[in-house]
Amino acid sequence: MAGSAFVFDVLQDAFGRQPSPDRTVVIVTAVAALLAVLLRPVWKIMRNFVTIAHEGGHALAAVLSGRRLSGIRLHSDTSGLTLSKGRPNGPGMVVTGLSGYITPSLLGLAAAAILGAGRITILLWLLLLLLVLMLIMIRNFYGVISVVAAGAIIFAVSWFADSQIQGAFAYAFAWFMLLGGVRAVFELQQSRFRRQAPNSDADQIARLTRVPAMVYVGFFVIVVLACLAFGVRLMLGPVGDLIG
């Protein structure tokens, strides 16, 4: 009986609507996320989380487009690799290639929408589920450590922290994905400009489609900036509200 009551309380906490943090907390988490993206020493560490989302996006797109996922590798230099089997060209490969750089921002936007609905705990649990599914396909030691570490942090916050800490963490996550997605795309173009990334996602898709890689970089820029704009509106409201 006690066990059933415990499960009921857990589910009620998870699926119930939690109050949003104070507006000040939302702004502070935005500033913290911005600093994490702008400060190079911090970004070098935090970019691992963007890479996890990036490679997860490739993996999900591969599966949804009918390809067979072979494995995912995450590297200590914050790069990653997702391998899938299927036709070496065609729509499936294009969709898979396009998905990586936009996934962190789309994930941040989805998180902002869930937070706007007051479902903070559900967001944390969904992130845990995605990490568990991704862990199954990780094929190198560093990748396992990265995903397990990320999962451990989210689990600790969702299980042990009070609602205020959970809310601040969830908002910080959403902000970081939205802002980190933007920086990752601009880093991509910077590397391409310096001719340091001849096999970037944009260049690989360009070779498949015979469309200039800059078109795809432009697509990435439009998507990540649109996600950021909508995310700001969802979490902070219209600009007029901020000024007022």
Side-chain angles (χ1 to χ4, degrees):
M1 198 71 174
S4 299
F6 173 75
V7 171
F8 177 79
D9 289 341
V10 170
L11 292 177
Q12 187 177 42
D13 290 340
F15 290 97
R17 182 183 174 90
Q18 291 99 6
S20 297
D22 184 79
R23 191 180 186 81
T24 302
V25 173
V26 178
I27 295 174
V28 168
T29 56
V31 173
L34 182 61
L35 291 175
V37 169
L38 293 179
L39 298 177
R40 183 173 292 275
V42 182
W43 172 245
K44 288 176 67 176
I45 298 173
M46 297 297 292
R47 198 185 193 286
N48 284 284
F49 299 105
V50 174
T51 302
I52 291 174
H54 178 114
E55 298 304 327
H58 281 316
L60 179 60
V63 172
L64 293 178
S65 62
R67 300 182 62 79
R68 187 157 63 89
L69 189 61
S70 301
I72 302 169
R73 292 178 176 271
L74 304 172
H75 305 133
S76 58
D77 63 355
T78 71
S79 65
L81 179 65
T82 298
L83 298 173
S84 60
K85 295 181 179 179
R87 288 181 57 189
N89 49 34
M93 278 295 293
V94 174
V95 170
T96 300
L98 286 174
S99 63
Y101 277 99
I102 64 175
T103 295
S105 293
L106 290 174
L107 182 60
L109 181 60
I114 295 172
L115 291 174
R119 310 297 181 179
I120 295 172
T121 305
I122 285 182
L123 171 62
L124 298 177
W125 284 19
L126 285 174
L127 294 176
L128 273 176
L129 176 61
L130 292 174
L131 286 172
V132 169
L133 293 175
M134 188 171 182
L135 183 61
I136 297 171
M137 299 307 301
I138 295 293
R139 294 293 182 264
N140 68 322
F141 181 72
Y142 184 83
V144 170
I145 294 299
S146 298
V147 174
V148 169
I153 293 170
I154 295 173
F155 174 78
V157 172
S158 66
W159 193 258
F160 298 109
D162 60 30
S163 60
Q164 291 183 335
I165 299 297
Q166 286 185 10
F169 178 87
Y171 273 88
F173 169 83
W175 283 122
F176 178 74
M177 282 296 154
L178 289 168
L179 295 166
V182 173
R183 172 155 185 174
V185 170
F186 281 92
E187 283 184 342
L188 163 68
Q189 181 53 26
Q190 185 179 49
S191 297
R192 292 188 66 256
F193 181 76
R194 295 174 178 173
R195 301 185 183 279
Q196 297 173 339
N199 293 312
S200 71
D201 290 354
D203 290 283
Q204 291 185 52
I205 304 166
R207 287 192 285 270
L208 286 172
T209 61
R210 299 184 181 180
V211 174
M214 272 305 301
V215 172
Y216 297 111
V217 175
F219 168 73
F220 296 154
V221 170
I222 291 171
V223 172
V224 300
L225 291 181
C227 286
L228 178 59
F230 282 113
V232 169
R233 185 176 181 88
L234 284 170
M235 292 190 285
L236 287 178
V239 175
D241 291 352
L242 293 178
I243 297 174

